[in-house]
Amino acid sequence: MKNILITGGAGFIGSHVALELLDSGYNVIVYDNLSNSSEESLKRVEELTGLSISFYKGDILDTNHVKEVLEKEKIEAVIHCAALKAVGESVKKPLLYYHNNITGTLSLLSAMEEVGVKNIIFSSSATVYGDPETVPITEDFPKGAPTNPYGWTKSMMEQIMTDLHTADPNWKVILLRYFNPIGAHKSGRIGEDPKGIPNNLLPYVTQVAIGKLPYLHVYGDDYDTHDGTGVRDYIHVVDLAKGHVKAIDNLDKLTGVEIFNLATGHGYSVLDIVKTFEKVNGVKIEYKIEGRREGDIDETYADASKAEKVLGWICDNGLEEMLEDSWRWQKNNPNGYEE
């Protein structure tokens, strides 16, 4: 299996997946509407690898265009990363999220079915577990009630793909449940470049560090955690990307629907992140404690031992490396890809 299509491949996670796939000998084709990403990321991936990417600007809602690309490029498997992903925004704009994420996925799957491409690796999320009763979370935990529309879209997309396999066992579906990707490529050439005010913690921290934003909003200090701030399982984006390569490597051996947590298995609070960032990078982060944000939960971290056992995947980077690499990217690219 050589020709791999990445939807949303110019984004933060997609660009790192593209780089790791190229370095592992795969041919990479990217399909992205560039609504929250930049084609510059792919140019830099090509520079870093010395290899080329076939890029198509398009929206997965355009079923016919997706079908044309699948046929033209003789795609053998799809890594589906294209989605809107901000929890807070999803609470404010649920219809936008349901339409883009779910209708877009239905469009993509319809195109794949028509062409006969029945291998998909899906960029899912820990949000499908809802507010778990206990931690660490394993893949056999029941899916909970997600606490926000973004989480519901991921849960529904998982169900759609599972139902598709039930109807046609020729489909191979791998659901990769990400925890919290942070960090950047060690080169400092590709990283997270949010449009406007960041919705996620780390780009917000780095933009405070570089002086683009005055302080970090810490939403809630009354959670049931060691310091009152929310605890999450942060994973280096390069380790996450390598998880996708391992999924492709093992696709022929897997059958049916497989679920894997991609995480480190360690939980860190918002203030842990702030203090560790300050320590490893020597930069002070100003922050203010504010009220809780709707849709957030106390604590979540994973057991990722299944991915190690079945796929041979492990994390190589700890929290300090994640925060050093995040800062290197931001320092080298103060305005992201728009230099």
Side-chain angles (χ1 to χ4, degrees), residues 9 14-15 22 34 67 102 147-148 169 213 232 253 262:
S15 59
L22 287 171
L34 304 179
K67 185 179 167 185
I102 296 177
T147 55
N148 52 74
L213 295 170
R232 300 291 181 267
K253 302 174 195 171
L262 294 185

Side-chain angles (χ1 to χ4, degrees), residues 294-310:
E294 190 176 356
D296 280 343
I297 61 176
D298 292 359
E299 179 177 41
T300 178
Y301 62 93
D303 178 336
S305 58
K306 181 184 174 185
E308 180 177 0
K309 181 179 177 183
V310 177

Side-chain angles (χ1 to χ4, degrees), residues 194-217 219 277 283-288 327 330 334-335:
K195 306 288 186 187
I197 302 296
N199 287 296
N200 296 327
L201 176 61
L202 245 293
Y204 211 109
V205 168
T206 60
Q207 289 193 17
V208 170
I210 207 163
K212 292 184 76 171
L213 295 170
Y215 59 87
L216 173 70
H217 303 264
Y219 295 107
F277 186 94
V283 182
K284 177 71 175 168
I285 302 299
E286 299 294 338
Y287 66 87
K288 290 186 181 179
W327 181 226
Q330 185 71 78
N335 298 309

Side-chain angles (χ1 to χ4, degrees), residues 19-250:
L19 188 150
E20 297 300 329
L21 282 171
L22 287 171
D23 274 350
S24 299
Y26 291 97
N27 300 322
V28 172
I29 299 89
V30 165
Y31 192 89
D32 198 307
N33 66 6
L34 304 179
S35 65
N36 194 30
S37 58
S38 170
E39 195 176 348
E40 175 65 22
S41 67
L42 301 179
K43 293 175 183 173
R44 295 190 185 186
V45 169
E46 291 179 325
E47 290 170 13
L48 290 165
T49 60
L51 299 166
S52 63
I53 293 171
S54 297
F55 173 66
Y56 293 86
K57 185 178 180 182
D59 197 303
I60 55 171
L61 288 159
D62 186 345
T63 311
N64 288 331
H65 190 210
V66 175
K67 185 179 167 185
E68 288 170 15
V69 173
L70 292 168
E71 289 176 322
K72 179 183 176 184
E73 296 289 349
K74 298 181 172 57
I75 299 299
E76 295 161 273
V78 174
I79 296 176
H80 181 27
C81 296
L84 295 174
K85 63 175 186 175
V87 168
E89 184 183 57
S90 79
V91 174
K92 295 174 182 172
K93 300 178 180 179
L95 288 181
L96 176 66
Y97 272 67
Y98 287 121
H99 177 64
N100 185 85
N101 293 5
I102 296 177
T103 311
T105 297
L106 290 170
S107 170
L108 171 67
L109 293 171
S110 296
M112 290 174 67
E113 188 162 53
E114 283 187 52
V115 175
V117 179
K118 296 186 177 182
N119 298 309
I120 189 163
I121 288 112
F122 175 51
S123 167
S124 192
S125 167
T127 57
V128 303
Y129 293 114
D131 191 352
E133 290 186 12
T134 60
V135 286
I137 298 166
T138 60
E139 290 86 352
D140 58 5
F141 270 40
K143 285 167 68 172
T147 55
N148 52 74
Y150 163 74
W152 276 114
T153 69
K154 291 292 186 181
S155 184
M156 291 175 187
M157 288 187 277
E158 281 196 359
Q159 189 62 49
I160 289 164
M161 292 177 205
T162 301
D163 291 345
L164 193 55
H165 169 263
T166 300
D168 179 359
N170 290 316
W171 277 86
K172 285 189 179 183
V173 176
I174 298 180
L175 307 175
L176 299 180
R177 290 177 177 166
Y178 306 168
F179 278 66
N180 291 67
I182 61 174
H185 191 262
K186 300 285 182 191
S187 65
R189 293 289 289 155
I190 60 170
E192 188 166 9
D193 181 22
K195 306 288 186 187
I197 302 296
N199 287 296
N200 296 327
L201 176 61
L202 245 293
Y204 211 109
V205 168
T206 60
Q207 289 193 17
V208 170
I210 207 163
K212 292 184 76 171
L213 295 170
Y215 59 87
L216 173 70
H217 303 264
V218 176
Y219 295 107
D221 64 349
D222 58 348
Y223 287 104
D224 185 17
T225 63
H226 67 275
D227 63 13
T229 63
V231 167
R232 300 291 181 267
D233 191 330
Y234 296 92
I235 176 175
H236 198 296
V237 66
V238 172
D239 288 327
L240 185 78
K242 289 177 178 176
H244 295 72
V245 178
K246 288 291 188 182
I248 293 286
D249 288 346
N250 287 278

